[in-house]
């Protein structure tokens, strides 16, 4: 399907040809392609609302649904989720054929109607979307490593908001120059968190200009095992020593994870 995806991306790039309107964020033979489209659609007050649509086309696309993330400064989180769910429902009618352009046209024509609905519901749970390439029961846990935070206060608040919105628990951990994010929750929510982390201007560069996070790495991801602690909340914690950080991992049943992935970060 790789050839079909390339052809679809080429067509989209020709249609959305303005500065930054269509941008490939990542491409992998195993994970597929993630790209962003910037567009506008008519909202409730007949004014155009800027939308950022991020699509994840897995290697099985278009036989399975694309992963979709919807972001806009003019929409609440609930409204963004409602738009995403309606797009996934629409995508079910377009399986086996390139569908991204059809979905973009559809949301342009229907955004006002979606926002006008009093209750958004929670549809899409049964949808075999590739934001959920596989349907995963139970909790997952993911460990992320950040190289640095320049605008730390703003960055921390943003991470806390994302975790809250996506109902993720875990830890944002600081120990010296080491910055780790431990996320626990639904695997699809973790994937959506990663899309937000990589596509949002969450930090500033050396000149103080807002920038996206380009130096984040996924150290580990697995389904939560019986020996792993269930985190009840997402907390920000500072550790004064490596031993203190290690104790946090051991208490969570993640001693092996610490030994294999965290110790190597200490220089």
């Amino acid at each position: 399907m790789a050839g079909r995806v390339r052809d679809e991306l080429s067509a989209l790039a020709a249609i959305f040809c303005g500065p930054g309107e269509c941008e490939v964020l990542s491409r992998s033979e195993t994970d597929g392609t993630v790209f962003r489209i910037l567009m506008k659609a008519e909202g409730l007050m007949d004014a155009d609302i800027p939308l950022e649509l991020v699509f994840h086309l897995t290697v099985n696309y278009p036989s399975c649904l694309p992963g979709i993330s919807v972001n806009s400064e003019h929409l609440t989180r609930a409204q963004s989720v409602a738009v995403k769910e309606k797009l996934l429902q629409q995508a079910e009618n377009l399986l086996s054929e390139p569908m991204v352009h059809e979905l973009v046209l559809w949301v342009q024509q229907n955004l006002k109607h979606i926002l006008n609905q009093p209750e958004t519901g929670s549809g899409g749970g049964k949808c075999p979307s590739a934001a959920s390439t596989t349907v995963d029961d139970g909790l997952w846990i993911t460990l992320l490593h950040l190289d640095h935070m320049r605008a730390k206060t703003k960055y921390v608040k943003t991470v806390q908001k994302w975790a809250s919105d996506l109902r993720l628990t875990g830890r944002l951990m600081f120990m010296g120059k080491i910055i780790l994010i431990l996320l626990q929750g639904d695997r699809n929510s973790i994937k959506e968190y990663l899309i937000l982390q990589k596509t949002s201007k969450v930090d500033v560069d050396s000149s103080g200009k807002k920038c996206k996070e380009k130096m984040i790495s996924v150290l580990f991801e697995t389904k939560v095992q019986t020996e792993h602690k269930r985190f009840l909340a997402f907390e920000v914690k500072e550790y004064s020593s490596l031993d203190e950080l290690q104790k946090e991992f051991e208490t969570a049943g993640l001693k092996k994870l610490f030994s294999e992935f965290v110790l190597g970060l200490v220089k």
Side-chain angles (χ1 to χ4, degrees), residues 15-33:
I15 296 168
F16 301 96
C17 55
E21 281 187 346
C22 183
E23 179 184 1
V24 175
L25 303 174
S26 67
R27 184 181 281 123
S28 164
E29 292 182 1
T30 55
D31 295 332
T33 302

Side-chain angles (χ1 to χ4, degrees), residues 9-256:
L9 285 173
S10 296
L12 289 168
I15 296 168
F16 301 96
C17 55
E21 281 187 346
C22 183
E23 179 184 1
V24 175
L25 303 174
S26 67
R27 184 181 281 123
S28 164
E29 292 182 1
T30 55
D31 295 332
T33 302
V34 178
F35 64 96
R36 177 180 61 196
I37 289 178
L38 302 181
M39 54 165 289
K40 292 182 179 180
E42 185 179 304
L44 290 176
M45 307 302 292
D46 296 329
D48 285 343
I49 293 178
L51 295 177
E52 177 189 73
L53 304 180
V54 178
F55 294 90
H56 177 201
L57 310 185
T58 69
V59 292
N60 295 318
Y61 172 88
S63 297
C64 68
L65 300 182
I68 301 174
S69 177
V70 178
N71 298 291
S72 174
E73 293 181 353
H74 300 269
L75 300 181
T76 65
R77 182 68 192 166
Q79 288 173 327
S80 296
V81 170
V83 175
K84 169 187 170 180
E85 290 176 347
K86 294 298 183 183
L87 279 170
L88 287 171
Q89 291 172 15
Q90 185 66 19
E92 287 183 334
N93 302 320
L94 302 170
L95 280 172
S96 301
E97 295 295 334
M99 66 180 78
V100 173
H101 187 223
E102 291 291 332
L103 294 175
V104 173
L105 291 177
W106 186 86
V107 79
Q108 283 181 322
Q109 297 165 3
N110 291 277
L111 179 65
K112 185 175 182 179
H113 173 68
I114 297 171
L115 299 180
N116 203 34
Q117 295 179 359
E119 295 293 336
T120 62
S122 57
K126 64 180 180 180
C127 188
S129 79
S132 55
T133 307
T134 56
V135 178
D136 300 293
D137 296 323
L139 297 174
W140 280 70
I141 190 164
T142 296
L143 181 65
L144 310 174
H145 174 237
L146 292 177
D147 184 75
H148 60 269
M149 282 186 187
R150 287 194 173 95
K152 183 176 177 180
T153 300
K154 177 179 178 295
Y155 204 133
V156 169
K157 287 182 179 179
T158 301
V159 170
Q160 288 176 308
K161 182 179 186 303
W162 288 341
S164 175
D165 288 345
L166 295 169
R167 298 182 181 179
L168 296 171
T169 61
R171 299 285 186 270
L172 171 54
M173 300 176 280
F174 296 92
M175 200 287 292
K177 293 184 178 181
I178 296 176
I179 307 171
L180 300 169
I181 302 176
L182 188 65
L183 297 173
Q184 191 178 83
D186 179 77
R187 195 182 189 191
N188 302 333
S189 297
I190 292 175
K191 288 184 177 181
E192 187 163 349
Y193 174 94
L194 287 171
I195 290 175
L196 289 170
Q197 181 86 58
K198 293 177 180 179
T199 61
S200 304
K201 291 185 177 180
V202 69
D203 205 3
V204 297
D205 60 20
S206 56
S207 63
K209 185 178 179 181
K210 290 182 179 180
C211 66
K212 299 171 192 172
E213 180 57 69
K214 296 181 179 179
M215 301 184 73
I216 183 173
S217 56
V218 179
L219 299 180
F220 182 78
E221 180 184 42
T222 187
K223 200 167 184 177
V224 170
Q225 305 300 314
T226 54
E227 68 269 20
H228 296 159
K229 172 184 175 181
R230 268 60 172 174
F231 293 102
L232 300 179
F234 185 83
E235 300 179 21
V236 180
K237 302 188 75 170
E238 303 258 1
Y239 304 88
S240 58
S241 67
L242 188 62
D243 287 343
E244 193 177 335
L245 180 62
Q246 182 175 354
K247 186 175 181 180
E248 177 78 63
F249 276 80
E250 291 178 352
T251 302
L254 298 169
K255 182 178 181 180
K256 185 177 179 182

